[in-house]
Amino acid sequence: MLFGDLIKGLYATIASWDVGPTLSCLDYLWGAPKMKLGLEVAAVAMIATAQANCPDYTTYAQSPQGNPSVGPLGLPYMRPDPACRTFNSTSVEKVISDMTSRLKDPDVARLFENTFPNTLGTTVKYYNQTENLAFIITGDITAQWLRDTGNQFAHYRSLLSIDTELANLVKAVINNEARYISQYPYCGAFQPPPESGLAPSYNDWAQNVLVNPPVDNKTVFECKYEIDSLCGFIKLSYSYYEATKDTSMMNVEWLAAIDQIFRVITEQSQASFDADWNFISYYNWTGLPGSLAGEVNNGGNGEPKGYTGMVGTHHRPSDDLSTFAFLTPANAMLSVQLTNLATILDHAKVAPNVSTQAKYWSKTIEEAIWEHSVVDDIFAYETNGLGSRYVMDDANVPSLLSLPYLGFLDMNHPAYVKTKGILMSHGNPYYAKGKNFFGIGGPHIDVWNPWPMSQVTNVFGTNNDQEILTSLYTIVNNTGGLGLIHESINIYNDSDYTRPWFAWANSYFAEMLLDLAQRKPHLIFTDSKPYTPGL
């Protein structure tokens, strides 16, 4: 037992070093039965030495690594060495092998090989199965975003039923996020849990921002309120339960978090003024002229809104300020995820009153979207319940372009087809097209920097083979020679990009290729046989 305590101490100490990865390989060592003392000591020493020499992935991702692919682009191999990966999964390695052995294009194969394991290999900053806690960073920002994690793990969902270790990691992510939400339901990005021993990150964008209700910056990285953050938590919970049927996920903390989500829904669906012209404010975020996203008018409360049945939000999935409170795609995602929440609660026979509430709000929100957001078969991106509409789109999911991906409607629905025609044209103020790259961006960067994410979303929204291939190769040909998916790309200079290490974008690209492997295998495989991971 004394040696066991030593190993645990080494694990905690080494994991607290700011060298990037945690020592998931030590989990294998810790679980090994009756290993000889000398071998244990040697293994721990070797792992510690290897981890100390691991490069920071933010720097690593900015230049080509490994051997180039044999395709015309010669894309580099961007995975860390096995000893430097933050989590290892044999089921993930099998998917990589299955896909790359069948993909027609070596450059597409290399891009999948780099992107599919990126979340596991680089972003698991802390994980303790016994504590049921995991801290997942976004990539080059050391904070856990509820939105990002819901998307960073989306492409692993079919593996959770066959990979117990991966499922346990996801369960630990959910449990950690439940603790965050139960305390700060209006916040979307968080610091490491105290059990990790990791120091909180300093976020200078959030230091002088006033938030009501107030937050502790040792727990909260920043507190911009976005509906999709809460949706991401439900999305990850739904994926986990659907795969594992593990009701232990629905513990006291998780149920408290769900209760807080409904508190936010109730509060933010109300109009800005009551019948007696009393201004209603449950949350405000002042922002400052120098803060990211800028100053918020009306004392940090944003633009006024009327009642519609939708839920208002202060910020978009991009972390930018909303122009009008009712963000259509975020409400669409919320409607879908509330239905999913009711589904798993009913199956688990847990909290029937919460399930009833979820069904009510899902239906109410869906009906409100069709009544207030759609005019002449065109969706508005934002409305205010007072007659104002903003027709545009932003690359970040949930977006209008992503409505089929979200499960809100079919890609052939006339309103989606007509809206999409506007979104991928001059009709969308944040659509831009250059010689080599084009797509939808957003004000988070600027108008001439579209995001590759929008081209991934476009693939999910079409069955047209040529359109799919155009979007696919617009992405593949524009990684800056680095074989990873970046945040945005300048249409005037395709070597000018933002965020070399953006795990969500990498996961989203891999998820799209897995979708094509099932839906359009003839486009990407040497044969036309569909492929589903885990089957």
Side-chain angles (χ1 to χ4, degrees):
M1 286 289 93
L2 182 60
F3 186 77
D5 291 337
L6 172 63
I7 298 290
K8 287 182 179 179
L10 282 170
Y11 188 109
T13 300
I14 299 169
S16 69
W17 294 346
D18 191 20
V19 297
T22 55
L23 302 181
S24 60
C25 41
L26 268 178
D27 292 330
Y28 291 100
L29 172 63
W30 185 240
K34 299 180 181 178
M35 189 173 286
K36 291 183 179 179
L37 180 65
L39 183 58
E40 288 179 325
V41 172
V44 170
M46 287 190 296
I47 291 168
T49 301
Q51 291 288 325
N53 294 325
C54 289
D56 173 69
Y57 198 77
T58 302
T59 303
Y60 187 87
Q62 294 184 53
S63 58
Q65 309 291 334
N67 295 321
S69 67
V70 297
L73 297 176
L75 295 180
Y77 180 78
M78 300 298 289
R79 298 186 68 185
D81 289 338
C84 292
R85 294 170 191 167
T86 58
F87 191 91
N88 288 284
S89 164
T90 55
S91 67
V92 166
E93 298 303 323
K94 184 178 186 305
V95 173
I96 294 171
S97 176
D98 290 346
M99 287 286 288
T100 55
S101 65
R102 294 177 58 191
L103 286 163
K104 294 178 183 179
D105 188 328
D107 290 317
V108 174
R110 175 52 56 83
L111 201 48
F112 183 81
E113 187 177 22
N114 289 341
T115 59
F116 183 71
N118 188 253
T119 286
L120 292 183
T122 66
T123 70
V124 185
K125 193 72 172 177
Y126 175 77
Y127 171 47
N128 187 303
Q129 183 180 341
T130 302
E131 295 171 343
N132 194 23
L133 293 173
F135 180 68
I136 310 298
I137 61 176
T138 69
D140 51 16
I141 303 175
T142 307
Q144 182 161 326
W145 257 264
L146 303 179
R147 170 192 62 241
D148 284 57
T149 52
N151 292 296
Q152 282 171 249
F153 285 88
H155 60 316
Y156 300 135
R157 60 184 176 270
S158 63
L159 301 179
L160 301 183
S161 61
I162 62 170
D163 188 334
T164 302
E165 292 177 359
L166 179 56
N168 286 336
L169 172 65
V170 173
K171 182 180 177 181
V173 174
I174 293 168
N175 190 58
N176 189 35
E177 293 187 345
R179 299 202 314 181
Y180 293 143
I181 294 170
S182 61
Q183 187 175 8
Y184 296 114
Y186 277 103
C187 303
F190 296 89
Q191 304 280 12
E195 293 88 346
S196 69
L198 299 171
S201 298
Y202 178 79
N203 181 9
D204 53 358
W205 296 110
Q207 291 308 304
N208 296 315
V209 172
L210 299 178
V211 180
N212 180 44
V215 301
D216 180 358
N217 286 338
K218 292 181 180 179
T219 301
V220 175
F221 183 78
E222 69 176 25
C223 195
K224 294 173 181 173
Y225 159 57
E226 303 159 4
I227 300 174
D228 62 287
S229 294
L230 302 177
C231 293
F233 174 71
I234 301 174
K235 176 180 178 178
L236 193 59
S237 298
Y238 175 75
S239 294
Y240 175 81
Y241 183 82
E242 278 290 283
T244 66
K245 302 300 185 289
D246 177 15
T247 57
S248 68
M249 173 199 75
M250 301 173 182
N251 57 22
V252 172
E253 202 77 65
W254 187 85
L255 290 169
I258 296 298
D259 185 62
Q260 288 287 64
I261 290 173
F262 281 106
R263 169 196 152 195
V264 171
I265 289 172
T266 301
E267 292 176 352
Q268 294 304 319
S269 61
Q270 297 183 38
S272 296
F273 289 99
D274 68 14
D276 296 320
W277 293 101
N278 296 303
F279 190 79
I280 300 171
S281 176
Y282 293 98
Y283 161 92
N284 61 70
W285 183 91
T286 63
L288 292 167
S291 68
L292 192 62
E295 190 170 11
V296 182
N297 58 0
N298 294 314
N301 290 286
E303 284 293 301
K305 65 182 185 297
Y307 177 80
T308 63
M310 286 186 281
V311 181
T313 186
H314 288 64
H315 291 86
R316 298 170 177 172
S318 58
D319 295 330
D320 298 328
L321 293 172
S322 300
T323 299
F324 299 126
F326 298 124
L327 181 60
T328 301
N331 274 273
M333 183 180 187
L334 180 59
S335 177
V336 171
Q337 291 305 326
L338 288 176
T339 295
N340 290 342
L341 174 62
T343 298
I344 62 175
L345 288 173
D346 288 347
H347 185 274
K349 295 181 172 57
V350 171
N353 58 323
V354 177
S355 173
T356 299
Q357 193 175 14
K359 292 170 186 174
Y360 165 79
W361 275 110
S362 177
K363 185 174 185 292
T364 299
I365 293 166
E366 180 183 7
E367 291 175 349
I369 289 172
W370 288 105
E371 180 180 353
H372 295 276
S373 297
V374 183
V375 176
D376 295 329
D377 276 345
I378 296 173
F379 284 94
Y381 184 66
E382 292 170 341
T383 58
N384 64 1
L386 302 169
S388 298
R389 303 173 73 248
Y390 190 5
V391 177
M392 61 157 283
D393 205 16
D394 192 289
N396 282 266
V397 178
S399 60
L400 291 178
L401 193 64
S402 71
L403 289 176
Y405 169 78
L406 298 175
F408 184 74
L409 49 61
D410 186 89
M411 67 177 69
N412 297 311
H413 192 288
Y416 177 74
V417 173
K418 190 172 182 180
T419 303
K420 180 180 173 180
I422 293 173
L423 302 181
M424 299 293 281
S425 74
H426 278 293
N428 177 7
Y430 286 98
Y431 173 86
K433 187 172 185 177
K435 181 180 179 181
N436 297 315
F437 188 72
F438 69 99
I440 298 170
H444 191 69
I445 305 300
D446 54 49
V447 71
W448 52 85
N449 271 269
W451 293 38
M453 187 180 290
S454 69
Q455 292 293 350
V456 174
T457 303
N458 192 53
V459 171
F460 280 109
T462 182
N463 269 322
N464 182 284
D465 286 5
Q466 188 54 54
E467 187 178 3
I468 289 171
L469 289 173
T470 297
S471 286
L472 173 61
Y473 279 94
T474 298
I475 301 166
V476 174
N477 293 330
N478 287 281
T479 70
L482 294 176
L484 294 168
I485 311 302
H486 304 306
E487 180 186 52
S488 72
I489 299 171
N490 191 317
I491 61 170
Y492 306 118
N493 178 7
D494 50 26
S495 64
D496 179 14
Y497 63 86
T498 58
R499 297 195 70 179
W501 178 24
F502 185 21
W504 172 14
N506 289 317
S507 292
Y508 197 36
F509 176 83
E511 185 182 8
M512 177 264 289
L513 274 186
L514 290 175
D515 172 67
L516 293 180
Q518 298 175 55
R519 186 165 57 98
K520 295 281 186 177
H522 63 282
L523 293 181
I524 61 172
F525 286 153
T526 52
D527 56 45
S528 296
K529 297 177 181 178
Y531 171 73
T532 301
L535 296 181

